[in-house]
Amino acid sequence: AQSVSQHNHHVILSEAASLELGCNYSYGGTVNLFWYVQYPGQHLQLLLKYFSGDPLVKGIKGFEAEFIKSKFSFNLRKPSVQWSDTAEYFCAVNAVNAGNMLTFGGGTRLMVKP
Amino acid sequence: DVKVTQSSRYLVKRTGEKVFLECVQDMDHENMFWYRQDPGLGLRLIYFSYDVKMKEKGDIPEGYSVSREKKERFSLILESASTNQTSMYLCASGRGGVQETQYFGPGTRLLVL
C-alpha cells in the first residue's frame, strides 16, 4: 500500500518568510498529486494539483509545488507567507491505475506570526 | 462551484447509539467518499462509492457501513457508536476518471460519550 509522509507537523513562520513544506510518497508508478488546505473553521480546499506535464505547478494564493519523480516528492512552496496562510496543509497522492483512492499525509499545521 | 454538504456540523452521541451521517453533492459526481480526520493522522478513507448501490471498503471500514440509494447522497452509518469513533468525518465527491479531483464537505465533528 502506498504511503505519504509530511515531515513537518508544525511550522511557525513570521510574515514575509519563505515556506517549503515537504511531501514524499512511496508508490513507484504513475501518480496524481494534490495539496489541500484547511483554514481554521473551514472545509478542506484544493490548493493545487499535478496530473502530468510541467512538474512545476502553480496554485491559488501564490502557492506552487514541484514534482520530482526521482525523489518521490511533491514539496509545496510560497516565497512570502502572510498571516492569512495560517492553516493546516495536506499532501495527497492517487496511484493511477490503482483506483481513485487518495492517500493523505498526516498534515502540517502552519502558523504565521503577524 | 461544486457543493458538498453534510447534515450536521456537530453531533454528540452516547456509546452504543446508531449514528447516521448524511452527505449530499450537487454536481452529479459518480464517486463519493467518507474519511475520518484525526490529528497527526491526516485523512483516512473509510468507504467509497463509485455508483448507486455500489460501495468499496477503504483503509479503515471496521465499525462503519454506508448506503448510497441515490447518486447525490452518501450516508455513513455507525451501527453502535464507540468512544474511539470520536472524530471529524469528511465527505467528498469526484466526477471519476483517471484525473479526478475530490471536493470536500465542511465536516461533521462527532463526539461519542
Side-chain angles (χ1 to χ4, degrees):
Chain A
Q2 63 206 26
S3 64
V4 180
S5 298
Q6 291 182 241
H7 315 296
N8 312 102
H9 297 292
H10 291 90
V11 173
I12 303 173
L13 295 173
S14 297
E15 276 195 314
S18 65
L19 171 72
E20 181 159 3
L21 301 182
C23 173
N24 286 89
Y25 62 93
S26 64
Y27 184 69
T30 303
V31 291
N32 296 328
L33 300 157
F34 305 82
W35 275 97
Y36 284 88
V37 60
Q38 189 171 36
Y39 298 103
Q42 296 189 26
H43 65 276
L44 213 60
Q45 302 172 41
L46 182 68
L47 203 51
L48 50 78
K49 60 188 176 185
Y50 171 82
F51 290 147
S52 62
D54 188 345
L56 185 61
V57 180
K58 295 197 183 298
I60 60 171
K61 304 188 180 187
F63 286 90
E64 65 178 31
E66 185 175 13
F67 171 45
I68 303 179
K69 190 173 182 180
S70 60
K71 294 185 178 180
F72 298 90
S73 70
F74 190 56
N75 292 355
L76 181 71
R77 299 194 294 249
K78 185 170 183 178
S80 175
V81 295
Q82 300 171 311
W83 176 78
S84 58
D85 293 324
T86 293
E88 190 160 16
Y89 294 81
F90 294 92
C91 180
V93 177
N94 167 17
V96 177
N97 301 325
N100 281 355
M101 291 168 52
L102 276 182
T103 300
F104 282 82
T108 298
R109 204 176 282 271
L110 171 67
M111 179 188 293
V112 180
K113 299 183 293 184
Chain B
D1 259 4
V2 176
K3 192 153 188 194
V4 181
T5 56
Q6 295 182 229
S7 50
S8 307
R9 290 301 300 270
Y10 301 95
L11 271 181
V12 180
K13 296 292 181 181
R14 297 207 174 272
T15 301
E17 279 193 78
K18 191 169 186 175
V19 182
F20 292 88
L21 303 182
E22 301 280 336
C23 174
V24 178
Q25 51 94 3
D26 67 355
M27 282 303 293
D28 201 35
H29 281 169
E30 302 293 325
N31 296 342
M32 296 187 75
F33 307 82
W34 275 107
Y35 295 87
R36 62 177 283 175
Q37 181 182 6
D38 299 290
L41 297 178
L43 280 72
R44 292 178 292 167
L45 182 65
I46 304 171
Y47 267 97
F48 70 99
S49 168
Y50 54 89
D51 201 352
V52 174
K53 296 191 185 296
M54 306 303 289
K55 61 185 178 184
E56 292 285 341
K57 292 180 180 179
D59 297 319
I60 51 164
E62 296 78 19
Y64 303 94
S65 62
V66 290
S67 172
R68 193 164 181 204
E69 296 296 320
K70 294 185 178 181
K71 190 175 186 180
E72 68 272 18
R73 189 178 297 267
F74 192 35
S75 303
L76 180 69
I77 303 152
L78 288 65
E79 294 289 341
S80 176
S82 63
T83 55
N84 63 13
Q85 292 179 310
T86 291
S87 187
M88 171 72 94
Y89 289 87
L90 297 179
C91 175
S93 73
R95 63 175 172 79
V98 173
Q99 295 185 346
E100 178 184 72
T101 298
Q102 292 184 22
Y103 298 90
F104 286 82
T108 296
R109 192 169 289 280
L110 172 67
L111 172 62
V112 183
L113 300 173

